[in-house]
Amino acid sequence: MANVQYYDVILKPVITEKSMEDMSAKKYTFLVHPEANKTQIKEAVEKMFEGTKTRRRGMTFGKTAAKKKAIVQLTEDSADIEIFAGL
């Protein structure tokens, strides 16, 4: 696996109708580096956005894809992510 730094993990936010509805429940969707794992995604979100907390979600199996999407759920006490503030 390539040496992926935390600032290379999150590529861009996903803006769809479903992801916009999930924002009311503090769930944010991002496209992430295909070689990034859960630990790297967690580290990247914690370093890039303050006030966030992730939880362990168990292991899932499936086919690999060229793109990878991560849904990050924040606690009710955490601050909103500013990148989505104007949408």
Coordinates of all heavy atoms in Angstrom, one line a residue:
M1 N 0.8 -1.2 0.0 CA 0.0 0.0 0.0 C 0.9 1.2 0.0 O 1.9 1.3 0.6 CB -0.9 0.0 1.2 CG -1.8 1.2 1.3 SD -3.2 1.1 2.4 CE -2.4 1.0 4.0
A2 N 0.4 2.2 -0.7 CA 1.2 3.5 -0.8 C 1.2 4.2 0.5 O 0.3 4.0 1.4 CB 0.6 4.4 -1.9
N3 N 2.1 5.1 0.7 CA 2.2 5.9 1.9 C 1.2 7.0 1.8 O 1.4 8.0 1.2 CB 3.6 6.4 2.1 CG 3.8 7.1 3.4 OD1 2.9 7.0 4.3 ND2 4.9 7.8 3.6
V4 N 0.0 6.8 2.4 CA -1.1 7.8 2.3 C -1.1 8.6 3.6 O -1.2 8.1 4.7 CB -2.5 7.1 2.2 CG1 -3.6 8.1 2.1 CG2 -2.4 6.2 0.9
Q5 N -0.9 9.9 3.4 CA -1.0 10.9 4.5 C -2.4 11.3 4.8 O -3.3 11.1 4.0 CB -0.1 12.1 4.2 CG 1.3 11.8 4.0 CD 2.0 11.2 5.2 OE1 1.8 11.6 6.3 NE2 2.9 10.3 4.9
Y6 N -2.6 11.8 6.0 CA -4.0 12.1 6.4 C -4.7 13.2 5.5 O -5.9 13.1 5.3 CB -4.1 12.6 7.9 CG -3.6 14.0 8.2 CD1 -4.5 15.0 8.1 CD2 -2.3 14.2 8.5 CE1 -4.1 16.3 8.4 CE2 -1.9 15.5 8.7 CZ -2.8 16.6 8.7 OH -2.4 17.8 9.0
Y7 N -3.9 14.1 5.0 CA -4.4 15.1 4.1 C -4.7 14.6 2.7 O -5.4 15.2 1.9 CB -3.5 16.4 4.0 CG -2.1 16.0 3.8 CD1 -1.6 15.8 2.5 CD2 -1.2 16.0 4.9 CE1 -0.2 15.5 2.3 CE2 0.1 15.7 4.7 CZ 0.6 15.5 3.4 OH 1.9 15.2 3.2
D8 N -4.3 13.4 2.3 CA -4.6 12.8 1.1 C -5.7 11.8 1.2 O -6.2 11.3 0.1 CB -3.4 12.0 0.5 CG -2.2 12.9 0.2 OD1 -2.4 14.0 -0.2 OD2 -1.0 12.4 0.3
V9 N -6.2 11.5 2.4 CA -7.3 10.5 2.5 C -8.6 11.0 2.0 O -9.3 10.4 1.2 CB -7.3 10.1 4.0 CG1 -8.5 9.2 4.2 CG2 -6.1 9.3 4.4
I10 N -9.0 12.2 2.5 CA -10.3 12.7 2.1 C -10.2 13.5 0.8 O -9.5 14.5 0.8 CB -10.9 13.6 3.2 CG1 -11.2 12.7 4.5 CG2 -12.2 14.3 2.8 CD1 -11.7 13.5 5.6
L11 N -10.8 13.0 -0.2 CA -10.6 13.7 -1.5 C -11.6 14.8 -1.7 O -11.2 15.9 -2.1 CB -10.8 12.6 -2.7 CG -9.8 11.4 -2.6 CD1 -10.2 10.5 -3.7 CD2 -8.4 11.9 -2.7
K12 N -12.9 14.6 -1.5 CA -13.9 15.6 -1.7 C -15.2 15.2 -1.1 O -15.4 14.0 -0.9 CB -14.1 16.0 -3.2 CG -14.7 14.9 -4.0 CD -14.9 15.3 -5.4 CE -15.5 14.3 -6.3 NZ -15.8 14.7 -7.6
P13 N -16.1 16.1 -0.7 CA -17.4 15.8 -0.2 C -18.3 15.3 -1.3 O -18.2 15.7 -2.4 CB -17.9 17.1 0.5 CG -17.2 18.1 -0.3 CD -15.8 17.6 -0.7
V14 N -19.3 14.4 -0.9 CA -20.3 13.9 -1.8 C -21.5 14.7 -1.6 O -22.0 14.8 -0.5 CB -20.6 12.4 -1.6 CG1 -21.7 12.0 -2.5 CG2 -19.3 11.6 -1.9
I15 N -22.0 15.4 -2.6 CA -23.2 16.2 -2.5 C -24.3 15.5 -3.3 O -24.4 15.6 -4.6 CB -23.0 17.6 -3.1 CG1 -21.8 18.3 -2.4 CG2 -24.2 18.5 -2.9 CD1 -21.9 18.5 -0.9
T16 N -25.2 14.8 -2.7 CA -26.4 14.2 -3.3 C -27.6 14.5 -2.4 O -27.5 15.0 -1.3 CB -26.2 12.7 -3.4 OG1 -26.1 12.1 -2.1 CG2 -25.0 12.3 -4.3
E17 N -28.8 14.2 -2.9 CA -30.0 14.4 -2.1 C -29.9 13.6 -0.8 O -30.3 14.1 0.3 CB -31.2 14.0 -2.9 CG -31.6 15.0 -4.0 CD -32.8 14.6 -4.7 OE1 -33.6 13.8 -4.2 OE2 -33.0 15.1 -5.9
K18 N -29.5 12.4 -0.9 CA -29.5 11.5 0.3 C -28.4 12.0 1.3 O -28.6 12.1 2.5 CB -29.1 10.1 -0.1 CG -29.1 9.2 1.1 CD -28.9 7.7 0.8 CE -28.9 6.9 2.0 NZ -28.7 5.5 1.8
S19 N -27.2 12.4 0.8 CA -26.2 12.9 1.7 C -26.6 14.3 2.4 O -26.3 14.5 3.5 CB -24.9 13.1 1.0 OG -24.9 14.1 0.0
M20 N -27.4 15.1 1.6 CA -27.9 16.3 2.2 C -28.9 16.0 3.3 O -29.0 16.7 4.3 CB -28.5 17.2 1.1 CG -27.5 17.7 0.1 SD -26.1 18.6 0.7 CE -26.9 20.2 0.9
E21 N -29.8 15.0 3.1 CA -30.7 14.6 4.2 C -30.0 14.1 5.4 O -30.4 14.3 6.5 CB -31.7 13.6 3.6 CG -32.7 14.1 2.6 CD -33.5 13.1 2.0 OE1 -33.5 11.9 2.4 OE2 -34.3 13.4 1.0
D22 N -29.0 13.3 5.2 CA -28.2 12.7 6.3 C -27.5 13.8 7.1 O -27.1 13.5 8.3 CB -27.2 11.7 5.8 CG -27.9 10.4 5.3 OD1 -29.1 10.2 5.6 OD2 -27.2 9.7 4.6
M23 N -27.2 15.0 6.5 CA -26.5 16.0 7.3 C -27.4 16.5 8.5 O -26.8 16.9 9.5 CB -26.2 17.2 6.4 CG -25.0 16.9 5.5 SD -24.4 18.1 4.4 CE -25.3 19.6 4.7
S24 N -28.7 16.4 8.4 CA -29.5 16.7 9.6 C -29.3 15.8 10.8 O -29.5 16.2 11.9 CB -31.0 16.8 9.2 OG -31.4 15.5 8.8
A25 N -28.8 14.6 10.5 CA -28.5 13.6 11.5 C -27.0 13.6 11.8 O -26.5 12.6 12.4 CB -29.0 12.2 11.1
K26 N -26.3 14.6 11.3 CA -24.8 14.8 11.5 C -24.1 13.6 10.9 O -23.1 13.1 11.4 CB -24.5 14.9 13.0 CG -25.0 16.2 13.6 CD -24.2 16.6 14.7 CE -24.6 18.0 15.2 NZ -23.6 18.7 15.9
K27 N -24.5 13.2 9.7 CA -23.7 12.2 8.9 C -23.2 12.9 7.7 O -24.0 13.5 6.9 CB -24.6 11.0 8.5 CG -25.1 10.1 9.6 CD -25.9 9.0 9.1 CE -26.3 8.1 10.2 NZ -27.1 7.0 9.7
Y28 N -21.9 12.9 7.4 CA -21.3 13.5 6.3 C -20.7 12.5 5.4 O -20.0 11.6 5.9 CB -20.3 14.6 6.8 CG -20.9 15.6 7.6 CD1 -21.0 15.5 9.0 CD2 -21.5 16.8 7.0 CE1 -21.6 16.5 9.8 CE2 -22.1 17.8 7.8 CZ -22.1 17.6 9.1 OH -22.7 18.6 9.9
T29 N -20.8 12.7 4.1 CA -20.3 11.7 3.1 C -19.1 12.3 2.4 O -19.2 13.4 1.9 CB -21.4 11.3 2.2 OG1 -22.6 10.9 2.9 CG2 -21.0 10.2 1.3
F30 N -18.0 11.5 2.3 CA -16.8 12.0 1.6 C -16.4 10.9 0.6 O -16.5 9.7 0.9 CB -15.7 12.2 2.6 CG -16.0 13.3 3.6 CD1 -16.4 13.0 4.8 CD2 -15.8 14.6 3.2 CE1 -16.7 14.0 5.8 CE2 -16.1 15.6 4.1 CZ -16.5 15.3 5.4
L31 N -15.7 11.3 -0.5 CA -15.0 10.3 -1.3 C -13.6 10.3 -0.7 O -13.0 11.3 -0.4 CB -14.9 10.8 -2.7 CG -16.1 10.6 -3.6 CD1 -15.8 11.1 -5.0 CD2 -16.5 9.1 -3.7
V32 N -13.1 9.1 -0.5 CA -11.8 8.9 0.2 C -10.9 8.1 -0.7 O -11.3 7.5 -1.7 CB -11.9 8.2 1.5 CG1 -12.7 9.1 2.5 CG2 -12.6 6.8 1.4
H33 N -9.6 8.1 -0.4 CA -8.6 7.4 -1.2 C -8.9 5.9 -1.2 O -9.2 5.4 -0.1 CB -7.2 7.7 -0.5 CG -6.1 7.3 -1.4 ND1 -5.6 6.0 -1.5 CD2 -5.3 8.0 -2.2 CE1 -4.6 5.9 -2.3 NE2 -4.4 7.1 -2.8
P34 N -8.8 5.2 -2.3 CA -9.2 3.8 -2.4 C -8.3 2.9 -1.5 O -8.8 1.8 -1.1 CB -9.0 3.4 -3.8 CG -9.0 4.7 -4.6 CD -8.5 5.8 -3.6
E35 N -7.1 3.3 -1.2 CA -6.3 2.5 -0.3 C -6.3 2.8 1.2 O -5.7 2.2 2.0 CB -4.8 2.6 -0.8 CG -4.6 2.0 -2.2 CD -3.2 2.1 -2.7 OE1 -2.3 2.5 -1.9 OE2 -2.9 1.8 -3.8
A36 N -7.2 3.8 1.5 CA -7.3 4.2 2.9 C -8.2 3.2 3.6 O -9.2 2.7 3.1 CB -7.9 5.6 3.0
N37 N -7.8 2.9 4.9 CA -8.6 2.1 5.7 C -9.4 2.9 6.8 O -9.2 4.1 6.8 CB -7.8 1.0 6.4 CG -6.7 1.5 7.2 OD1 -6.8 2.6 7.7 ND2 -5.6 0.8 7.3
K38 N -10.2 2.2 7.6 CA -11.0 2.9 8.6 C -10.2 3.8 9.5 O -10.5 4.9 9.9 CB -11.8 2.0 9.4 CG -13.0 1.4 8.7 CD -13.8 0.6 9.7 CE -14.6 -0.5 9.0 NZ -15.4 -1.2 10.0
T39 N -9.0 3.2 9.9 CA -8.2 3.9 10.9 C -7.6 5.2 10.3 O -7.6 6.3 10.9 CB -7.0 3.0 11.3 OG1 -7.5 1.8 11.8 CG2 -6.2 3.7 12.4
Q40 N -7.2 5.2 9.0 CA -6.7 6.4 8.4 C -7.8 7.4 8.1 O -7.6 8.6 8.3 CB -6.1 6.0 7.0 CG -4.8 5.2 7.2 CD -4.3 4.6 5.9 OE1 -5.1 4.3 5.0 NE2 -3.0 4.6 5.7
I41 N -9.0 6.9 7.8 CA -10.2 7.8 7.6 C -10.5 8.5 8.9 O -10.7 9.7 9.0 CB -11.4 7.1 7.1 CG1 -11.1 6.6 5.6 CG2 -12.6 8.0 7.0 CD1 -12.1 5.6 5.1
K42 N -10.5 7.8 10.0 CA -10.8 8.3 11.4 C -9.7 9.4 11.7 O -10.1 10.5 12.2 CB -10.8 7.2 12.4 CG -10.9 7.7 13.8 CD -10.8 6.6 14.8 CE -10.9 7.1 16.2 NZ -10.7 6.1 17.2
E43 N -8.5 9.1 11.5 CA -7.4 10.0 11.8 C -7.5 11.3 11.0 O -7.4 12.4 11.5 CB -6.0 9.3 11.5 CG -4.9 10.2 11.8 CD -3.5 9.5 11.4 OE1 -3.5 8.3 11.5 OE2 -2.6 10.2 11.1
A44 N -7.8 11.1 9.7 CA -8.0 12.3 8.8 C -9.1 13.2 9.2 O -9.0 14.4 9.2 CB -8.2 11.8 7.4
V45 N -10.3 12.6 9.6 CA -11.4 13.4 10.0 C -11.1 14.1 11.3 O -11.4 15.3 11.4 CB -12.7 12.5 10.1 CG1 -13.8 13.3 10.8 CG2 -13.1 12.0 8.7
E46 N -10.5 13.4 12.2 CA -10.2 14.1 13.5 C -9.2 15.2 13.4 O -9.2 16.2 14.1 CB -9.6 13.0 14.5 CG -10.7 12.1 15.0 CD -10.2 11.0 15.9 OE1 -8.9 10.8 15.9 OE2 -11.0 10.3 16.5
K47 N -8.2 15.1 12.5 CA -7.2 16.1 12.3 C -7.7 17.3 11.4 O -7.3 18.4 11.7 CB -5.9 15.5 11.7 CG -5.1 14.7 12.6 CD -3.8 14.3 12.0 CE -3.0 13.4 13.0 NZ -1.7 13.1 12.5
M48 N -8.6 17.0 10.5 CA -9.0 18.1 9.6 C -10.2 18.8 10.1 O -10.3 20.0 9.9 CB -9.4 17.5 8.2 CG -8.2 16.9 7.5 SD -8.6 16.2 5.9 CE -8.9 17.6 4.9
F49 N -11.1 18.2 10.9 CA -12.3 18.8 11.4 C -12.3 18.6 12.9 O -12.3 17.5 13.4 CB -13.5 18.2 10.8 CG -13.5 18.2 9.3 CD1 -13.3 17.0 8.7 CD2 -13.7 19.4 8.6 CE1 -13.3 16.9 7.3 CE2 -13.6 19.3 7.2 CZ -13.5 18.1 6.6
E50 N -12.3 19.7 13.7 CA -12.3 19.6 15.1 C -13.7 19.3 15.6 O -14.7 19.6 15.0 CB -11.8 21.0 15.7 CG -10.3 21.2 15.5 CD -9.9 22.5 16.2 OE1 -10.5 22.9 17.1 OE2 -8.9 23.0 15.7
G51 N -13.7 18.7 16.8 CA -15.0 18.4 17.4 C -15.7 17.2 16.9 O -16.9 17.0 17.0
T52 N -15.0 16.3 16.2 CA -15.6 15.1 15.6 C -15.3 13.9 16.4 O -14.2 13.8 17.0 CB -15.2 14.9 14.1 OG1 -13.8 14.8 14.1 CG2 -15.6 16.1 13.3
K53 N -16.1 12.9 16.3 CA -15.9 11.6 17.0 C -16.4 10.5 16.1 O -17.6 10.6 15.6 CB -16.6 11.6 18.3 CG -16.3 10.3 19.1 CD -17.0 10.4 20.4 CE -16.8 9.0 21.1 NZ -17.6 9.0 22.4
T54 N -15.7 9.4 15.9 CA -16.2 8.3 15.1 C -16.3 7.1 16.0 O -15.7 7.1 17.1 CB -15.2 8.0 13.9 OG1 -13.9 7.7 14.4 CG2 -15.2 9.1 12.9
R55 N -17.0 6.1 15.5 CA -17.2 4.9 16.3 C -16.8 3.7 15.5 O -16.9 3.7 14.3 CB -18.7 4.8 16.7 CG -19.2 6.0 17.6 CD -20.6 6.2 17.6 NE -21.4 5.1 18.2 CZ -22.7 5.1 18.2 NH1 -23.4 6.0 17.5 NH2 -23.3 4.1 18.7
R56 N -16.5 2.6 16.2 CA -16.2 1.4 15.5 C -17.5 0.8 14.9 O -18.5 0.8 15.6 CB -15.6 0.4 16.5 CG -15.1 -0.8 15.8 CD -14.3 -1.7 16.8 NE -14.1 -3.0 16.3 CZ -13.0 -3.3 15.6 NH1 -12.1 -2.4 15.4 NH2 -12.8 -4.5 15.1
R57 N -17.4 0.3 13.7 CA -18.6 -0.1 13.0 C -18.5 -1.6 12.6 O -19.3 -2.0 11.7 CB -18.8 0.7 11.7 CG -19.0 2.1 12.1 CD -19.3 2.9 10.8 NE -19.4 4.3 11.1 CZ -20.3 5.1 10.8 NH1 -21.4 4.6 10.2 NH2 -20.3 6.3 11.1
G58 N -17.6 -2.4 13.0 CA -17.6 -3.8 12.5 C -17.0 -3.9 11.1 O -16.9 -2.9 10.4
M59 N -16.7 -5.1 10.7 CA -16.1 -5.3 9.4 C -17.1 -5.6 8.3 O -17.9 -6.4 8.5 CB -15.0 -6.4 9.6 CG -14.1 -6.5 8.4 SD -12.7 -7.5 9.0 CE -11.7 -7.4 7.6
T60 N -16.9 -5.1 7.1 CA -17.8 -5.4 6.0 C -17.0 -6.0 4.9 O -15.8 -5.7 4.7 CB -18.5 -4.1 5.5 OG1 -17.6 -3.2 5.1 CG2 -19.4 -3.5 6.6
F61 N -17.7 -6.8 4.1 CA -17.0 -7.5 3.0 C -17.7 -7.0 1.7 O -18.9 -6.8 1.7 CB -17.1 -9.0 3.1 CG -16.3 -9.5 4.3 CD1 -17.0 -9.8 5.5 CD2 -15.0 -9.7 4.2 CE1 -16.3 -10.3 6.6 CE2 -14.3 -10.2 5.3 CZ -14.9 -10.5 6.5
G62 N -16.9 -6.9 0.6 CA -17.5 -6.6 -0.7 C -16.4 -6.5 -1.7 O -15.2 -6.7 -1.4
K63 N -16.8 -6.1 -2.9 CA -15.8 -5.9 -3.9 C -15.1 -4.5 -3.8 O -15.7 -3.6 -3.3 CB -16.5 -6.0 -5.3 CG -17.1 -7.3 -5.6 CD -17.8 -7.3 -6.9 CE -18.4 -8.7 -7.2 NZ -19.0 -8.7 -8.5
T64 N -13.9 -4.5 -4.3 CA -13.2 -3.2 -4.2 C -13.5 -2.4 -5.4 O -13.9 -2.9 -6.5 CB -11.6 -3.4 -4.2 OG1 -11.3 -4.2 -5.3 CG2 -11.2 -4.2 -2.9
A65 N -13.5 -1.1 -5.3 CA -13.8 -0.2 -6.4 C -12.7 0.9 -6.6 O -11.9 1.0 -5.8 CB -15.2 0.5 -6.1
A66 N -12.8 1.6 -7.7 CA -11.8 2.6 -8.0 C -12.1 3.8 -7.0 O -11.2 4.6 -6.8 CB -11.9 3.1 -9.4
K67 N -13.3 4.0 -6.6 CA -13.6 5.1 -5.7 C -14.1 4.4 -4.4 O -14.6 3.3 -4.3 CB -14.8 5.9 -6.2 CG -14.4 6.7 -7.4 CD -15.5 7.6 -7.9 CE -15.2 8.3 -9.1 NZ -16.3 9.1 -9.6
K68 N -13.9 5.2 -3.3 CA -14.3 4.7 -2.0 C -15.1 5.9 -1.3 O -14.7 7.0 -1.4 CB -13.1 4.3 -1.2 CG -13.4 3.6 0.1 CD -12.2 3.1 0.7 CE -12.5 2.3 2.0 NZ -11.2 1.8 2.6
K69 N -16.2 5.6 -0.6 CA -17.0 6.6 0.0 C -17.0 6.3 1.5 O -17.1 5.2 1.9 CB -18.4 6.6 -0.6 CG -19.3 7.6 -0.1 CD -20.6 7.6 -0.9 CE -21.4 6.4 -0.8 NZ -22.7 6.5 -1.4
A70 N -16.9 7.3 2.3 CA -17.0 7.2 3.8 C -18.1 8.1 4.3 O -18.2 9.3 3.9 CB -15.7 7.5 4.4
I71 N -18.9 7.6 5.2 CA -20.0 8.4 5.8 C -19.5 8.5 7.3 O -19.3 7.6 8.0 CB -21.3 7.7 5.8 CG1 -21.8 7.5 4.3 CG2 -22.4 8.5 6.5 CD1 -23.0 6.7 4.1
V72 N -19.4 9.8 7.7 CA -18.9 10.1 9.0 C -20.0 10.6 9.8 O -20.7 11.6 9.4 CB -17.7 11.1 9.0 CG1 -17.3 11.5 10.3 CG2 -16.6 10.6 8.1
Q73 N -20.3 10.0 11.0 CA -21.4 10.5 11.8 C -20.8 11.2 13.1 O -20.0 10.7 13.7 CB -22.3 9.3 12.3 CG -23.5 9.8 13.1 CD -24.4 8.7 13.4 OE1 -24.2 7.6 13.0 NE2 -25.5 9.0 14.2
L74 N -21.3 12.4 13.3 CA -20.8 13.2 14.4 C -21.7 13.0 15.6 O -22.9 12.7 15.5 CB -20.7 14.7 14.1 CG -19.9 15.0 12.8 CD1 -20.0 16.5 12.6 CD2 -18.5 14.6 13.0
T75 N -21.2 13.3 16.8 CA -22.1 13.2 18.0 C -22.9 14.5 18.1 O -22.6 15.5 17.4 CB -21.2 13.1 19.3 OG1 -20.4 14.2 19.4 CG2 -20.4 11.8 19.3
E76 N -23.9 14.6 18.9 CA -24.7 15.8 19.0 C -24.0 16.9 19.7 O -24.3 18.1 19.4 CB -26.0 15.5 19.8 CG -26.9 14.5 19.1 CD -28.3 14.4 19.8 OE1 -28.6 15.2 20.7 OE2 -29.0 13.4 19.5
D77 N -23.0 16.6 20.4 CA -22.2 17.7 21.1 C -21.1 18.3 20.2 O -20.6 19.4 20.5 CB -21.4 17.1 22.3 CG -22.4 16.6 23.4 OD1 -23.6 17.0 23.4 OD2 -22.0 15.7 24.1
S78 N -20.8 17.6 19.1 CA -19.7 18.1 18.2 C -20.2 19.2 17.3 O -21.4 19.3 17.0 CB -19.2 17.0 17.4 OG -20.2 16.4 16.6
A79 N -19.3 20.0 16.8 CA -19.6 21.1 16.0 C -19.8 20.6 14.5 O -19.3 19.6 14.1 CB -18.5 22.2 16.0
D80 N -20.6 21.4 13.7 CA -20.9 21.0 12.4 C -19.6 21.2 11.5 O -18.8 22.1 11.9 CB -22.0 21.8 11.8 CG -23.3 21.5 12.4 OD1 -23.5 20.4 12.9 OD2 -24.2 22.3 12.3
I81 N -19.5 20.5 10.4 CA -18.3 20.7 9.5 C -18.6 21.9 8.6 O -19.6 21.9 8.0 CB -18.1 19.4 8.7 CG1 -17.7 18.2 9.7 CG2 -17.0 19.6 7.7 CD1 -17.5 16.9 9.0
E82 N -17.7 22.8 8.6 CA -17.9 24.1 7.9 C -17.9 24.0 6.4 O -18.5 24.8 5.8 CB -16.8 25.0 8.3 CG -16.8 25.4 9.8 CD -18.0 26.1 10.2 OE1 -18.6 26.9 9.5 OE2 -18.5 25.8 11.4
I83 N -17.4 22.9 5.8 CA -17.4 22.8 4.4 C -18.8 22.7 3.8 O -19.1 23.1 2.7 CB -16.5 21.6 3.9 CG1 -16.2 21.7 2.5 CG2 -17.2 20.3 4.3 CD1 -15.2 20.7 2.0
F84 N -19.8 22.2 4.6 CA -21.1 22.1 4.2 C -22.0 23.2 4.7 O -23.2 23.1 4.5 CB -21.7 20.7 4.7 CG -21.1 19.5 4.2 CD1 -20.2 18.8 4.9 CD2 -21.3 19.1 2.9 CE1 -19.6 17.6 4.4 CE2 -20.8 18.0 2.3 CZ -19.9 17.2 3.1
A85 N -21.5 24.2 5.3 CA -22.3 25.3 5.9 C -23.1 26.1 4.9 O -24.2 26.4 5.2 CB -21.4 26.2 6.7
G86 N -22.6 26.3 3.7 CA -23.3 27.1 2.7 C -24.3 26.4 1.8 O -24.9 26.9 0.9
L87 N -24.4 25.1 2.0 CA -25.3 24.3 1.1 C -26.7 24.1 1.6 O -27.0 24.0 2.7 CB -24.6 22.9 0.9 CG -23.2 23.0 0.3 CD1 -22.6 21.6 0.2 CD2 -23.2 23.6 -1.1

